mmCIF file of all heavy atoms in Angstrom:
data_model
loop_
_atom_site.group_PDB
_atom_site.id
_atom_site.type_symbol
_atom_site.label_atom_id
_atom_site.label_comp_id
_atom_site.label_asym_id
_atom_site.label_seq_id
_atom_site.Cartn_x
_atom_site.Cartn_y
_atom_site.Cartn_z
ATOM 1 N N LEU V 9 0.841 -1.171 -0.029
ATOM 2 C CA LEU V 9 -0.017 -0.002 -0.026
ATOM 3 C C LEU V 9 0.912 1.249 0.002
ATOM 4 O O LEU V 9 1.889 1.296 0.689
ATOM 5 C CB LEU V 9 -0.871 -0.014 1.241
ATOM 6 C CG LEU V 9 -1.875 -1.175 1.249
ATOM 7 C CD1 LEU V 9 -2.555 -1.241 2.649
ATOM 8 C CD2 LEU V 9 -2.867 -1.104 0.173
ATOM 9 N N THR V 10 0.476 2.216 -0.752
ATOM 10 C CA THR V 10 1.303 3.464 -0.932
ATOM 11 C C THR V 10 1.015 4.433 0.146
ATOM 12 O O THR V 10 0.037 4.364 0.943
ATOM 13 C CB THR V 10 0.974 4.198 -2.257
ATOM 14 O OG1 THR V 10 -0.389 4.588 -2.242
ATOM 15 C CG2 THR V 10 1.182 3.233 -3.462
ATOM 16 N N GLU V 11 1.879 5.462 0.317
ATOM 17 C CA GLU V 11 1.675 6.513 1.322
ATOM 18 C C GLU V 11 0.418 7.243 0.984
ATOM 19 O O GLU V 11 -0.342 7.600 1.891
ATOM 20 C CB GLU V 11 2.865 7.485 1.244
ATOM 21 C CG GLU V 11 2.726 8.574 2.203
ATOM 22 C CD GLU V 11 3.979 9.554 2.237
ATOM 23 O OE1 GLU V 11 4.874 9.333 1.454
ATOM 24 O OE2 GLU V 11 3.955 10.430 3.108
ATOM 25 N N ALA V 12 0.056 7.496 -0.330
ATOM 26 C CA ALA V 12 -1.207 8.145 -0.697
ATOM 27 C C ALA V 12 -2.387 7.381 -0.108
ATOM 28 O O ALA V 12 -3.344 8.015 0.395
ATOM 29 C CB ALA V 12 -1.267 8.236 -2.188
ATOM 30 N N TYR V 13 -2.399 6.092 -0.239
ATOM 31 C CA TYR V 13 -3.474 5.215 0.296
ATOM 32 C C TYR V 13 -3.624 5.493 1.820
ATOM 33 O O TYR V 13 -4.677 5.687 2.354
ATOM 34 C CB TYR V 13 -3.247 3.747 0.002
ATOM 35 C CG TYR V 13 -4.162 2.878 0.830
ATOM 36 C CD1 TYR V 13 -5.442 2.643 0.378
ATOM 37 C CD2 TYR V 13 -3.806 2.372 2.024
ATOM 38 C CE1 TYR V 13 -6.337 1.864 1.096
ATOM 39 C CE2 TYR V 13 -4.692 1.579 2.731
ATOM 40 C CZ TYR V 13 -5.922 1.354 2.304
ATOM 41 O OH TYR V 13 -6.818 0.568 3.005
ATOM 42 N N HIS V 14 -2.493 5.438 2.534
ATOM 43 C CA HIS V 14 -2.501 5.637 4.000
ATOM 44 C C HIS V 14 -3.004 7.015 4.349
ATOM 45 O O HIS V 14 -3.762 7.164 5.347
ATOM 46 C CB HIS V 14 -1.118 5.313 4.612
ATOM 47 C CG HIS V 14 -0.721 3.924 4.525
ATOM 48 N ND1 HIS V 14 -1.368 2.922 5.171
ATOM 49 C CD2 HIS V 14 0.215 3.279 3.833
ATOM 50 C CE1 HIS V 14 -0.838 1.744 4.921
ATOM 51 N NE2 HIS V 14 0.236 1.990 4.097
ATOM 52 N N LEU V 15 -2.603 8.023 3.623
ATOM 53 C CA LEU V 15 -3.012 9.400 3.897
ATOM 54 C C LEU V 15 -4.505 9.512 3.739
ATOM 55 O O LEU V 15 -5.229 10.200 4.544
ATOM 56 C CB LEU V 15 -2.224 10.385 3.042
ATOM 57 C CG LEU V 15 -0.801 10.562 3.450
ATOM 58 C CD1 LEU V 15 -0.104 11.444 2.372
ATOM 59 C CD2 LEU V 15 -0.670 11.240 4.813
ATOM 60 N N GLU V 16 -5.042 8.908 2.690
ATOM 61 C CA GLU V 16 -6.490 8.921 2.481
ATOM 62 C C GLU V 16 -7.243 8.146 3.575
ATOM 63 O O GLU V 16 -8.287 8.595 3.982
ATOM 64 C CB GLU V 16 -6.828 8.351 1.096
ATOM 65 C CG GLU V 16 -8.241 8.501 0.686
ATOM 66 C CD GLU V 16 -8.515 8.015 -0.757
ATOM 67 O OE1 GLU V 16 -7.633 8.175 -1.573
ATOM 68 O OE2 GLU V 16 -9.607 7.536 -0.983
ATOM 69 N N LYS V 17 -6.599 7.060 4.088
ATOM 70 C CA LYS V 17 -7.233 6.324 5.068
ATOM 71 C C LYS V 17 -7.311 7.162 6.389
ATOM 72 O O LYS V 17 -8.259 7.108 7.132
ATOM 73 C CB LYS V 17 -6.431 4.998 5.358
ATOM 74 C CG LYS V 17 -7.048 4.091 6.423
ATOM 75 C CD LYS V 17 -6.363 2.744 6.486
ATOM 76 C CE LYS V 17 -4.907 2.905 6.873
ATOM 77 N NZ LYS V 17 -4.233 1.727 7.198
ATOM 78 N N GLY V 18 -6.254 7.877 6.702
ATOM 79 C CA GLY V 18 -6.250 8.795 7.762
ATOM 80 C C GLY V 18 -5.716 8.426 9.109
ATOM 81 O O GLY V 18 -5.741 9.206 9.991
ATOM 82 N N TYR V 19 -5.172 7.215 9.218
ATOM 83 C CA TYR V 19 -4.579 6.768 10.488
ATOM 84 C C TYR V 19 -3.656 5.629 10.342
ATOM 85 O O TYR V 19 -3.636 4.955 9.291
ATOM 86 C CB TYR V 19 -5.714 6.376 11.457
ATOM 87 C CG TYR V 19 -6.566 5.204 10.981
ATOM 88 C CD1 TYR V 19 -6.213 3.926 11.337
ATOM 89 C CD2 TYR V 19 -7.649 5.384 10.138
ATOM 90 C CE1 TYR V 19 -6.944 2.825 10.861
ATOM 91 C CE2 TYR V 19 -8.370 4.323 9.703
ATOM 92 C CZ TYR V 19 -8.043 3.057 10.081
ATOM 93 O OH TYR V 19 -8.815 2.033 9.606
ATOM 94 N N CYS V 20 -2.848 5.391 11.357
ATOM 95 C CA CYS V 20 -1.929 4.191 11.336
ATOM 96 C C CYS V 20 -2.723 3.000 11.807
ATOM 97 O O CYS V 20 -3.318 3.072 12.880
ATOM 98 C CB CYS V 20 -0.739 4.461 12.298
ATOM 99 S SG CYS V 20 0.355 3.086 12.518
ATOM 100 N N CYS V 21 -2.623 1.906 11.072
ATOM 101 C CA CYS V 21 -3.384 0.717 11.415
ATOM 102 C C CYS V 21 -2.652 -0.161 12.419
ATOM 103 O O CYS V 21 -3.227 -1.085 13.053
ATOM 104 C CB CYS V 21 -3.690 -0.118 10.119
ATOM 105 S SG CYS V 21 -2.215 -0.720 9.331
ATOM 106 N N GLY V 22 -1.337 0.083 12.601
ATOM 107 C CA GLY V 22 -0.563 -0.690 13.560
ATOM 108 C C GLY V 22 0.098 -1.896 13.046
ATOM 109 O O GLY V 22 0.728 -2.663 13.786
ATOM 110 N N TYR V 23 0.074 -2.168 11.745
ATOM 111 C CA TYR V 23 0.688 -3.329 11.142
ATOM 112 C C TYR V 23 2.113 -3.157 10.745
ATOM 113 O O TYR V 23 2.772 -4.080 10.285
ATOM 114 C CB TYR V 23 -0.172 -3.831 9.938
ATOM 115 C CG TYR V 23 -1.429 -4.530 10.413
ATOM 116 C CD1 TYR V 23 -2.684 -3.944 10.146
ATOM 117 C CD2 TYR V 23 -1.475 -5.732 11.054
ATOM 118 C CE1 TYR V 23 -3.845 -4.500 10.544
ATOM 119 C CE2 TYR V 23 -2.617 -6.381 11.411
ATOM 120 C CZ TYR V 23 -3.808 -5.733 11.201
ATOM 121 O OH TYR V 23 -4.971 -6.284 11.611
ATOM 122 N N GLY V 24 2.630 -1.917 10.769
ATOM 123 C CA GLY V 24 3.980 -1.682 10.364
ATOM 124 C C GLY V 24 4.148 -1.538 8.857
ATOM 125 O O GLY V 24 5.176 -2.046 8.294
ATOM 126 N N CYS V 25 3.166 -0.981 8.213
ATOM 127 C CA CYS V 25 3.189 -0.856 6.696
ATOM 128 C C CYS V 25 4.453 -0.133 6.210
ATOM 129 O O CYS V 25 4.899 0.840 6.845
ATOM 130 C CB CYS V 25 1.962 -0.191 6.208
ATOM 131 S SG CYS V 25 0.394 -1.014 6.653
ATOM 132 N N ARG V 26 4.992 -0.559 5.040
ATOM 133 C CA ARG V 26 6.194 -0.020 4.501
ATOM 134 C C ARG V 26 6.136 1.485 4.271
ATOM 135 O O ARG V 26 7.134 2.149 4.488
ATOM 136 C CB ARG V 26 6.470 -0.709 3.241
ATOM 137 C CG ARG V 26 7.821 -0.473 2.575
ATOM 138 C CD ARG V 26 8.002 -1.211 1.268
ATOM 139 N NE ARG V 26 7.930 -2.697 1.478
ATOM 140 C CZ ARG V 26 7.951 -3.568 0.529
ATOM 141 N NH1 ARG V 26 8.194 -3.166 -0.701
ATOM 142 N NH2 ARG V 26 7.864 -4.833 0.781
ATOM 143 N N HIS V 27 5.044 1.962 3.861
ATOM 144 C CA HIS V 27 4.934 3.451 3.580
ATOM 145 C C HIS V 27 4.106 4.216 4.493
ATOM 146 O O HIS V 27 3.439 5.217 4.122
ATOM 147 C CB HIS V 27 4.425 3.641 2.100
ATOM 148 C CG HIS V 27 5.304 3.032 1.052
ATOM 149 N ND1 HIS V 27 6.545 3.507 0.791
ATOM 150 C CD2 HIS V 27 5.139 1.923 0.248
ATOM 151 C CE1 HIS V 27 7.104 2.742 -0.131
ATOM 152 N NE2 HIS V 27 6.308 1.784 -0.507
ATOM 153 N N CYS V 28 4.093 3.846 5.751
ATOM 154 C CA CYS V 28 3.259 4.473 6.768
ATOM 155 C C CYS V 28 3.726 5.907 6.927
ATOM 156 O O CYS V 28 4.886 6.165 7.303
ATOM 157 C CB CYS V 28 3.363 3.787 8.110
ATOM 158 S SG CYS V 28 2.419 4.583 9.441
ATOM 159 N N PRO V 29 2.851 6.936 6.712
ATOM 160 C CA PRO V 29 3.217 8.344 6.919
ATOM 161 C C PRO V 29 3.034 8.841 8.325
ATOM 162 O O PRO V 29 3.223 10.011 8.600
ATOM 163 C CB PRO V 29 2.303 9.067 5.991
ATOM 164 C CG PRO V 29 1.063 8.230 5.953
ATOM 165 C CD PRO V 29 1.529 6.802 6.083
ATOM 166 N N TYR V 30 2.564 7.981 9.240
ATOM 167 C CA TYR V 30 2.246 8.350 10.617
ATOM 168 C C TYR V 30 3.293 7.894 11.601
ATOM 169 O O TYR V 30 2.988 7.787 12.812
ATOM 170 C CB TYR V 30 0.876 7.743 10.967
ATOM 171 C CG TYR V 30 -0.231 8.182 10.021
ATOM 172 C CD1 TYR V 30 -0.744 7.285 9.090
ATOM 173 C CD2 TYR V 30 -0.610 9.539 10.023
ATOM 174 C CE1 TYR V 30 -1.714 7.722 8.173
ATOM 175 C CE2 TYR V 30 -1.570 9.979 9.131
ATOM 176 C CZ TYR V 30 -2.082 9.074 8.263
ATOM 177 O OH TYR V 30 -3.055 9.492 7.317
ATOM 178 N N GLU V 31 4.525 7.621 11.176
ATOM 179 C CA GLU V 31 5.627 7.261 12.060
ATOM 180 C C GLU V 31 5.271 6.075 12.941
ATOM 181 O O GLU V 31 5.727 5.958 14.078
ATOM 182 C CB GLU V 31 6.061 8.431 12.943
ATOM 183 C CG GLU V 31 6.572 9.624 12.140
ATOM 184 C CD GLU V 31 7.785 9.337 11.261
ATOM 185 O OE1 GLU V 31 8.751 8.701 11.883
ATOM 186 O OE2 GLU V 31 7.837 9.659 10.119
ATOM 187 N N TYR V 32 4.489 5.114 12.340
ATOM 188 C CA TYR V 32 4.098 3.909 13.058
ATOM 189 C C TYR V 32 3.494 4.097 14.416
ATOM 190 O O TYR V 32 3.751 3.358 15.354
ATOM 191 C CB TYR V 32 5.370 2.959 13.129
ATOM 192 C CG TYR V 32 6.015 2.770 11.818
ATOM 193 C CD1 TYR V 32 7.227 3.265 11.583
ATOM 194 C CD2 TYR V 32 5.385 1.984 10.823
ATOM 195 C CE1 TYR V 32 7.856 3.076 10.328
ATOM 196 C CE2 TYR V 32 5.978 1.752 9.573
ATOM 197 C CZ TYR V 32 7.222 2.275 9.325
ATOM 198 O OH TYR V 32 7.842 2.069 8.148
ATOM 199 N N GLU V 33 2.735 5.180 14.631
ATOM 200 C CA GLU V 33 2.196 5.543 15.915
ATOM 201 C C GLU V 33 1.403 4.504 16.612
ATOM 202 O O GLU V 33 1.279 4.452 17.872
ATOM 203 C CB GLU V 33 1.400 6.890 15.847
ATOM 204 C CG GLU V 33 0.195 6.811 15.004
ATOM 205 C CD GLU V 33 -0.482 8.156 14.779
ATOM 206 O OE1 GLU V 33 0.201 9.176 14.920
ATOM 207 O OE2 GLU V 33 -1.703 8.162 14.462
ATOM 208 N N SER V 34 0.772 3.540 15.849
ATOM 209 C CA SER V 34 -0.107 2.533 16.534
ATOM 210 C C SER V 34 0.644 1.195 16.612
ATOM 211 O O SER V 34 0.035 0.199 17.070
ATOM 212 C CB SER V 34 -1.369 2.383 15.725
ATOM 213 O OG SER V 34 -2.136 3.554 15.768
ATOM 214 N N VAL V 35 1.883 1.084 16.152
ATOM 215 C CA VAL V 35 2.638 -0.145 16.233
ATOM 216 C C VAL V 35 3.227 -0.304 17.632
ATOM 217 O O VAL V 35 3.867 0.660 18.135
ATOM 218 C CB VAL V 35 3.749 -0.139 15.136
ATOM 219 C CG1 VAL V 35 4.571 -1.393 15.274
ATOM 220 C CG2 VAL V 35 3.184 -0.014 13.755
ATOM 221 N N PRO V 36 3.053 -1.441 18.293
ATOM 222 C CA PRO V 36 3.566 -1.614 19.598
ATOM 223 C C PRO V 36 5.130 -1.701 19.648
ATOM 224 O O PRO V 36 5.674 -2.202 18.638
ATOM 225 C CB PRO V 36 2.928 -2.906 20.144
ATOM 226 C CG PRO V 36 2.458 -3.576 18.871
ATOM 227 C CD PRO V 36 2.241 -2.584 17.821
ATOM 228 N N GLU V 37 5.698 -1.375 20.712
ATOM 229 C CA GLU V 37 7.094 -1.572 20.930
ATOM 230 C C GLU V 37 7.379 -3.064 21.195
ATOM 231 O O GLU V 37 6.509 -3.734 21.682
ATOM 232 C CB GLU V 37 7.647 -0.702 22.096
ATOM 233 C CG GLU V 37 7.604 0.789 21.867
ATOM 234 C CD GLU V 37 8.622 1.229 20.825
ATOM 235 O OE1 GLU V 37 9.440 0.464 20.316
ATOM 236 O OE2 GLU V 37 8.608 2.415 20.470
ATOM 237 N N PRO V 38 8.555 -3.533 20.848
ATOM 238 C CA PRO V 38 9.717 -2.898 20.283
ATOM 239 C C PRO V 38 9.693 -2.778 18.753
ATOM 240 O O PRO V 38 10.553 -2.188 18.169
ATOM 241 C CB PRO V 38 10.824 -3.825 20.725
ATOM 242 C CG PRO V 38 10.265 -5.167 20.781
ATOM 243 C CD PRO V 38 8.831 -5.007 21.166
ATOM 244 N N LYS V 39 8.678 -3.280 18.102
ATOM 245 C CA LYS V 39 8.530 -3.250 16.671
ATOM 246 C C LYS V 39 8.575 -1.822 16.071
ATOM 247 O O LYS V 39 9.192 -1.541 15.095
ATOM 248 C CB LYS V 39 7.263 -3.992 16.207
ATOM 249 C CG LYS V 39 7.132 -4.119 14.691
ATOM 250 C CD LYS V 39 8.103 -5.072 14.146
ATOM 251 C CE LYS V 39 7.765 -5.275 12.639
ATOM 252 N NZ LYS V 39 8.861 -6.133 11.970
ATOM 253 N N LYS V 40 7.900 -0.887 16.813
ATOM 254 C CA LYS V 40 7.838 0.479 16.344
ATOM 255 C C LYS V 40 9.233 1.077 16.261
ATOM 256 O O LYS V 40 9.649 1.689 15.249
ATOM 257 C CB LYS V 40 6.994 1.351 17.348
ATOM 258 C CG LYS V 40 6.922 2.802 17.003
ATOM 259 C CD LYS V 40 6.102 3.550 17.994
ATOM 260 C CE LYS V 40 6.090 5.043 17.697
ATOM 261 N NZ LYS V 40 5.250 5.768 18.603
ATOM 262 N N SER V 41 10.072 0.870 17.267
ATOM 263 C CA SER V 41 11.475 1.458 17.251
ATOM 264 C C SER V 41 12.263 0.782 16.130
ATOM 265 O O SER V 41 13.052 1.466 15.482
ATOM 266 C CB SER V 41 12.090 1.238 18.603
ATOM 267 O OG SER V 41 11.543 1.988 19.602
ATOM 268 N N GLN V 42 12.121 -0.500 15.908
ATOM 269 C CA GLN V 42 12.825 -1.194 14.840
ATOM 270 C C GLN V 42 12.432 -0.652 13.498
ATOM 271 O O GLN V 42 13.265 -0.330 12.682
ATOM 272 C CB GLN V 42 12.510 -2.680 14.960
ATOM 273 C CG GLN V 42 13.164 -3.495 13.845
ATOM 274 C CD GLN V 42 12.625 -4.974 13.842
ATOM 275 O OE1 GLN V 42 11.836 -5.365 14.654
ATOM 276 N NE2 GLN V 42 13.154 -5.697 12.872
ATOM 277 N N LEU V 43 11.146 -0.445 13.280
ATOM 278 C CA LEU V 43 10.705 0.095 11.985
ATOM 279 C C LEU V 43 11.206 1.534 11.748
ATOM 280 O O LEU V 43 11.613 1.855 10.618
ATOM 281 C CB LEU V 43 9.143 0.054 11.912
ATOM 282 C CG LEU V 43 8.549 -1.325 11.797
ATOM 283 C CD1 LEU V 43 7.043 -1.285 12.067
ATOM 284 C CD2 LEU V 43 8.849 -1.961 10.403
ATOM 285 N N LEU V 44 11.130 2.370 12.791
ATOM 286 C CA LEU V 44 11.619 3.732 12.611
ATOM 287 C C LEU V 44 13.112 3.740 12.316
ATOM 288 O O LEU V 44 13.532 4.573 11.524
ATOM 289 C CB LEU V 44 11.322 4.530 13.935
ATOM 290 C CG LEU V 44 9.878 4.883 14.116
ATOM 291 C CD1 LEU V 44 9.652 5.417 15.526
ATOM 292 C CD2 LEU V 44 9.374 5.856 13.051
ATOM 293 N N GLN V 45 13.902 2.895 12.965
ATOM 294 C CA GLN V 45 15.304 2.808 12.662
ATOM 295 C C GLN V 45 15.577 2.339 11.244
ATOM 296 O O GLN V 45 16.464 2.929 10.535
ATOM 297 C CB GLN V 45 15.987 1.885 13.671
ATOM 298 C CG GLN V 45 17.536 1.843 13.506
ATOM 299 C CD GLN V 45 18.201 3.205 13.669
ATOM 300 O OE1 GLN V 45 17.795 3.981 14.559
ATOM 301 N NE2 GLN V 45 19.195 3.495 12.854
ATOM 302 N N GLU V 46 14.812 1.345 10.815
ATOM 303 C CA GLU V 46 14.974 0.880 9.367
ATOM 304 C C GLU V 46 14.591 1.976 8.419
ATOM 305 O O GLU V 46 15.293 2.143 7.381
ATOM 306 C CB GLU V 46 14.098 -0.370 9.174
ATOM 307 C CG GLU V 46 14.581 -1.576 9.879
ATOM 308 C CD GLU V 46 13.603 -2.790 9.837
ATOM 309 O OE1 GLU V 46 12.629 -2.680 9.130
ATOM 310 O OE2 GLU V 46 13.895 -3.775 10.525
ATOM 311 N N LYS V 47 13.576 2.665 8.659
ATOM 312 C CA LYS V 47 13.111 3.769 7.780
ATOM 313 C C LYS V 47 14.166 4.852 7.726
ATOM 314 O O LYS V 47 14.450 5.347 6.635
ATOM 315 C CB LYS V 47 11.774 4.355 8.290
ATOM 316 C CG LYS V 47 11.109 5.309 7.366
ATOM 317 C CD LYS V 47 9.772 5.704 7.930
ATOM 318 C CE LYS V 47 8.964 6.464 6.898
ATOM 319 N NZ LYS V 47 7.604 6.733 7.389
ATOM 320 N N LYS V 48 14.702 5.207 8.836
ATOM 321 C CA LYS V 48 15.758 6.238 8.967
ATOM 322 C C LYS V 48 17.038 5.894 8.159
ATOM 323 O O LYS V 48 17.661 6.713 7.515
ATOM 324 C CB LYS V 48 16.135 6.452 10.436
ATOM 325 C CG LYS V 48 17.114 7.538 10.660
ATOM 326 C CD LYS V 48 17.350 7.700 12.146
ATOM 327 C CE LYS V 48 18.491 8.683 12.416
ATOM 328 N NZ LYS V 48 18.774 8.736 13.881
ATOM 329 N N SER V 49 17.418 4.613 8.169
ATOM 330 C CA SER V 49 18.610 4.172 7.537
ATOM 331 C C SER V 49 18.391 3.599 6.153
ATOM 332 O O SER V 49 19.358 3.122 5.519
ATOM 333 C CB SER V 49 19.313 3.110 8.427
ATOM 334 O OG SER V 49 18.525 1.970 8.538
ATOM 335 N N SER V 50 17.207 3.691 5.596
ATOM 336 C CA SER V 50 16.974 3.128 4.272
ATOM 337 C C SER V 50 17.590 4.053 3.179
ATOM 338 O O SER V 50 17.658 5.246 3.387
ATOM 339 C CB SER V 50 15.452 2.958 4.007
ATOM 340 O OG SER V 50 14.877 4.201 3.700
ATOM 341 N N PRO V 51 18.015 3.474 2.065
ATOM 342 C CA PRO V 51 18.592 4.246 1.035
ATOM 343 C C PRO V 51 17.610 5.306 0.422
ATOM 344 O O PRO V 51 18.064 6.348 -0.068
ATOM 345 C CB PRO V 51 18.889 3.227 -0.120
ATOM 346 C CG PRO V 51 18.897 1.916 0.564
ATOM 347 C CD PRO V 51 17.975 2.071 1.781
ATOM 348 N N GLU V 52 16.336 5.124 0.534
ATOM 349 C CA GLU V 52 15.333 6.062 0.022
ATOM 350 C C GLU V 52 15.395 7.399 0.855
ATOM 351 O O GLU V 52 15.086 8.430 0.287
ATOM 352 C CB GLU V 52 13.938 5.498 0.209
ATOM 353 C CG GLU V 52 13.644 4.367 -0.657
ATOM 354 C CD GLU V 52 12.247 3.756 -0.374
ATOM 355 O OE1 GLU V 52 11.511 4.345 0.479
ATOM 356 O OE2 GLU V 52 11.875 2.761 -0.988
ATOM 357 N N ASN V 53 15.875 7.349 2.079
ATOM 358 C CA ASN V 53 15.921 8.531 2.909
ATOM 359 C C ASN V 53 17.326 9.144 2.953
ATOM 360 O O ASN V 53 17.616 10.034 3.716
ATOM 361 C CB ASN V 53 15.469 8.201 4.296
ATOM 362 C CG ASN V 53 14.039 7.830 4.318
ATOM 363 O OD1 ASN V 53 13.227 8.412 3.648
ATOM 364 N ND2 ASN V 53 13.708 6.776 5.098
ATOM 365 N N ALA V 54 18.274 8.673 2.170
ATOM 366 C CA ALA V 54 19.617 9.144 2.223
ATOM 367 C C ALA V 54 19.786 10.439 1.383
ATOM 368 O O ALA V 54 19.045 10.753 0.540
ATOM 369 C CB ALA V 54 20.614 8.102 1.676
#
């Protein structure tokens, strides 16, 4: 699912979607921190 889809949906579902524009706010720890670190270090964000 794309970021556009998630923005139209309007909230984080908590599943850790690849293009979550909501900083994984509904994802429980420790998965949330892991996903945020992966997103930060991905080549797309370099």
